[in-house]
Amino acid sequence: VGQSRGGGALAAAPGGRGCRWGGWSLFRWRPPPPLHPPRDTLWGAAPGAPTTGQRVIEQSLADVWLVDIVEGLPQGKALDLAQAAPVAGHDMVIQGTNDYADTAGSDVIVVTSGLARQPGMSRDDLMAKNAGVVRSVVEQSIAYSPEAVVIVVTNPLDAMCHVALEASGLPSNRVVGMAGVLDSSRFRTFISMELGVSVVNTYAFVLGGHGDTMVPLPRYSTVGGVPITELMTPERIEALVDRTRNGGAEVVSLLKTGSAYYAPASSVAAMVDSIVNNRHMVLPCAAYLEGQYGYDGLYVGVPTRLGSGGVEGIVEIGLTAEEQAMFDDSAAAVQGLVDRLVEMGELRDPAKG
């Protein structure tokens, strides 16, 4: 998921307000007064957050506030989106502001804050900077919305979930990462394109960390209920798996500048929908494992049930020896990033309490 110059956080709540993708972005919903729709807050006004806000208002999920540190930017984005409402056919409200205080009472905070890697910047430098931005955004957001659920989008996503958890002081079920919904959507898209079928009839399963070590599971991926292992050769399936692992990089390589934000925005909106409307949808997300899949104290992508309290449960499925080995490799990669953050002083050492 690409970020713009400032990073972003989104805060959401029935009746909440909003932010942006790339700066600090917040989506917020708070319980609305009688006969008043929910409101959503997004901190930041780079492309991703306004696109997410657009998804939210056009699905009539909530009113939206766009918030950004750049004066005029969220106001302009919000006005543009508001002027589309008559044509889009909804009556949701979208406004812009520059003040974190306007996000108070958010039920959901979506953290998209983060920097793109610059020339001469090491991966450690990038991770440290993004960790600092995520920590700052979460601390300030939670100060105004202590009952919120936090959705992390910033990369490296699984490791940033640990930063958000520590910064927020929330129970682990109220901090969750987005990527699995996006990765599964990409897998579904490629399956649909390969077989010439509607994406509505496809279901795909992706486990593990968000990145090269993600674990798409073909035998749990279906078209109309039929496993794709019965519809494609192993070679074609492996090609789709590889394309899914590199889905974000493929978009970046085609764009030359910038990165994906339409599919990430839709993925965030799906999670927000399940949380705000307490739909209990089973979605693949980065969740804090406490013994599930053989891991404890680590954020990794697994199927979760999302409701108003965040992660209501983790669905455990049986894995073959090969699938478990891939999942272990993915978890080890996430653990390596977490350990590096501890070494850099960006996370507390769990061994020291």
Side-chain angles (χ1 to χ4, degrees):
V1 177
Q3 315 297 338
S4 72
R5 60 191 182 285
L10 269 107
R17 321 231 178 141
C19 314
R20 106 173 169 189
W21 199 284
W24 294 308
S25 316
L26 292 164
F27 255 135
R28 159 186 160 206
W29 286 260
R30 81 168 78 134
L35 302 179
H36 191 281
R39 285 183 289 175
D40 177 51
T41 304
L42 296 97
W43 241 102
T51 303
T52 307
Q54 181 181 19
R55 297 281 192 265
V56 169
I57 58 177
E58 291 186 354
Q59 292 176 41
S60 295
L61 297 176
D63 290 339
V64 171
W65 280 61
L66 295 177
V67 188
D68 196 87
I69 57 176
V70 181
E71 292 186 9
L73 183 58
Q75 292 87 345
K77 294 285 187 180
L79 181 59
D80 191 14
L81 285 167
Q83 291 169 352
V87 181
H90 68 81
D91 290 303
M92 309 309 290
V93 175
I94 184 164
Q95 299 186 57
T97 183
N98 301 108
D99 192 352
Y100 254 120
D102 286 331
T103 71
S106 297
D107 291 324
V108 181
I109 299 168
V110 183
V111 183
T112 66
S113 321
L115 304 174
R117 191 175 179 184
Q118 303 298 319
M121 181 184 291
S122 70
R123 291 186 184 277
D124 279 359
D125 290 340
L126 177 61
M127 188 162 63
K129 288 184 180 296
N130 279 354
V133 173
V134 169
R135 181 176 297 279
S136 175
V137 168
V138 171
E139 288 176 347
Q140 293 182 75
S141 302
I142 288 297
Y144 288 103
S145 306
E147 302 301 318
V149 173
V150 176
I151 299 176
V152 178
V153 181
T154 307
N155 284 320
L157 184 139
D158 307 270
M160 292 301 109
C161 286
H162 285 266
V163 176
L165 178 65
E166 184 176 287
S168 68
L170 295 175
S172 60
N173 64 292
R174 285 168 53 196
V175 177
V176 60
M178 180 276 289
V181 180
L182 172 62
D183 295 332
S184 295
S185 181
R186 285 171 171 162
F187 197 18
R188 290 177 64 188
T189 299
F190 299 144
I191 291 169
S192 171
M193 293 167 62
E194 179 75 13
L195 296 176
V197 298
S198 170
V199 292
V200 175
N201 297 126
T202 64
Y203 181 80
F205 216 136
V206 177
L207 295 179
H210 181 53
D212 296 343
T213 61
M214 73 176 71
V215 186
L217 297 178
R219 68 190 183 93
Y220 284 108
S221 303
T222 63
V223 175
V226 180
I228 64 170
T229 52
E230 297 184 20
L231 301 173
M232 285 183 269
T233 65
E235 292 76 19
R236 289 309 305 156
I237 291 175
E238 185 58 32
L240 299 189
V241 166
D242 287 342
R243 192 176 183 189
T244 300
R245 288 196 179 108
N246 296 290
E250 182 177 0
V251 172
V252 171
S253 68
L254 291 168
L255 292 176
K256 311 302 181 189
T257 60
S259 58
Y261 54 84
Y262 296 118
S266 293
S267 300
V268 171
M271 294 177 67
V272 168
D273 181 15
S274 191
I275 294 169
V276 169
N277 292 313
N278 200 30
R279 295 185 65 188
H280 316 292
M281 295 175 66
V282 176
L283 297 171
C285 305
Y288 192 78
L289 301 183
E290 297 179 291
Q292 300 93 339
Y293 292 92
Y295 289 89
D296 189 58
L298 189 68
Y299 273 94
V300 185
V302 292
T304 65
R305 188 175 68 253
L306 291 183
S308 59
V311 177
E312 299 177 331
I314 292 174
V315 179
E316 291 193 76
I317 60 171
L319 299 177
T320 66
E322 181 181 5
E323 290 165 347
Q324 185 66 55
M326 289 190 294
F327 186 83
D328 291 342
D329 288 343
S330 188
V334 174
Q335 185 65 63
L337 293 174
V338 172
D339 292 344
R340 186 62 186 134
L341 285 171
V342 171
E343 292 172 4
M344 292 188 293
E346 298 296 338
L347 278 176
R348 289 193 302 268
D349 187 344
K352 297 180 180 179

Coordinates of all heavy atoms in Angstrom, one line a residue, residues 114-118 121-132 155-156 160 344:
G114 N 2.8 7.3 6.8 CA 4.0 6.6 6.4 C 4.7 7.4 5.3 O 4.1 8.1 4.6
L115 N 6.0 7.1 5.2 CA 6.8 7.7 4.1 C 7.2 6.7 3.1 O 7.3 5.5 3.3 CB 8.1 8.3 4.7 CG 7.9 9.3 5.9 CD1 9.3 9.6 6.5 CD2 7.2 10.5 5.4
A116 N 7.4 7.2 1.9 CA 7.9 6.4 0.8 C 9.5 6.4 1.0 O 10.1 7.3 1.5 CB 7.6 6.9 -0.6
R117 N 10.1 5.3 0.5 CA 11.5 5.2 0.6 C 12.2 6.2 -0.3 O 11.9 6.2 -1.5 CB 12.0 3.8 0.3 CG 13.5 3.5 0.6 CD 13.8 2.0 0.4 NE 15.2 1.7 0.7 CZ 15.7 0.6 0.5 NH1 15.0 -0.4 0.1 NH2 17.0 0.4 0.8
Q118 N 13.1 7.0 0.2 CA 13.8 8.0 -0.6 C 15.2 7.5 -1.0 O 15.8 6.6 -0.4 CB 13.9 9.3 0.3 CG 12.6 9.8 0.8 CD 11.7 10.2 -0.4 OE1 12.1 10.8 -1.4 NE2 10.4 9.9 -0.2
M121 N 18.1 6.2 1.4 CA 17.5 5.8 2.7 C 17.5 4.3 2.8 O 17.0 3.6 1.9 CB 16.0 6.3 2.8 CG 15.3 5.9 4.1 SD 13.5 6.4 4.0 CE 13.7 8.2 4.1
S122 N 18.0 3.8 3.9 CA 18.1 2.3 4.1 C 16.7 1.8 4.5 O 15.8 2.6 4.9 CB 19.1 1.9 5.2 OG 18.6 2.4 6.5
R123 N 16.5 0.5 4.5 CA 15.2 0.0 4.9 C 15.0 0.2 6.4 O 13.9 0.5 6.9 CB 15.1 -1.5 4.6 CG 15.0 -1.8 3.1 CD 14.8 -3.3 2.8 NE 14.8 -3.6 1.4 CZ 13.8 -3.5 0.6 NH1 12.6 -3.1 1.1 NH2 13.9 -3.8 -0.6
D124 N 16.1 0.1 7.2 CA 16.0 0.4 8.6 C 15.6 1.9 8.8 O 14.8 2.2 9.7 CB 17.3 0.2 9.3 CG 17.5 -1.3 9.6 OD1 16.6 -2.1 9.3 OD2 18.6 -1.7 10.1
D125 N 16.2 2.8 8.0 CA 15.8 4.2 8.2 C 14.3 4.4 7.9 O 13.6 5.2 8.6 CB 16.6 5.1 7.2 CG 18.1 5.2 7.5 OD1 18.4 4.9 8.7 OD2 18.9 5.5 6.6
L126 N 13.8 3.8 6.8 CA 12.4 3.9 6.5 C 11.5 3.4 7.6 O 10.5 4.0 8.0 CB 12.1 3.2 5.1 CG 10.7 3.2 4.7 CD1 10.2 4.6 4.4 CD2 10.5 2.4 3.4
M127 N 11.9 2.2 8.1 CA 11.1 1.5 9.1 C 11.0 2.4 10.4 O 10.0 2.5 11.0 CB 11.6 0.1 9.4 CG 10.7 -0.7 10.3 SD 10.9 -2.4 10.3 CE 12.6 -2.5 10.9
A128 N 12.2 2.9 10.7 CA 12.2 3.8 11.9 C 11.4 5.0 11.8 O 10.7 5.4 12.7 CB 13.7 4.2 12.2
K129 N 11.5 5.7 10.6 CA 10.7 6.9 10.4 C 9.2 6.6 10.4 O 8.4 7.3 11.0 CB 11.1 7.5 9.1 CG 12.5 8.2 9.1 CD 12.8 8.9 7.8 CE 14.1 9.6 7.8 NZ 14.2 10.7 8.9
N130 N 8.8 5.5 9.7 CA 7.4 5.1 9.7 C 6.9 4.8 11.1 O 5.8 5.1 11.5 CB 7.1 4.0 8.7 CG 7.0 4.5 7.3 OD1 7.0 5.7 7.0 ND2 7.0 3.6 6.3
A131 N 7.7 4.1 11.9 CA 7.4 3.7 13.2 C 7.1 5.0 14.0 O 6.2 5.1 14.8 CB 8.4 2.9 13.9
G132 N 8.0 6.0 13.9 CA 7.8 7.3 14.6 C 6.5 8.0 14.2 O 5.8 8.5 15.1
N155 N 3.1 0.5 6.0 CA 4.1 -0.6 5.8 C 5.4 -0.3 6.5 O 5.7 0.8 6.7 CB 4.3 -0.8 4.3 CG 3.2 -1.6 3.6 OD1 2.6 -2.5 4.2 ND2 2.9 -1.1 2.4
P156 N 6.1 -1.4 7.0 CA 5.7 -2.8 6.9 C 4.6 -3.1 7.9 O 4.8 -3.0 9.1 CB 7.0 -3.5 7.3 CG 7.8 -2.5 8.1 CD 7.4 -1.2 7.6
M160 N 4.2 -2.6 12.0 CA 3.6 -1.4 12.4 C 2.4 -1.6 13.3 O 2.1 -0.8 14.2 CB 3.2 -0.5 11.2 CG 4.4 0.0 10.4 SD 5.5 1.1 11.3 CE 7.0 0.0 11.4
M344 N 16.4 -1.0 17.5 CA 16.5 0.4 17.1 C 15.8 1.3 18.2 O 15.9 2.5 18.1 CB 15.8 0.7 15.8 CG 16.6 0.1 14.6 SD 16.0 0.6 13.0 CE 14.3 -0.1 13.0

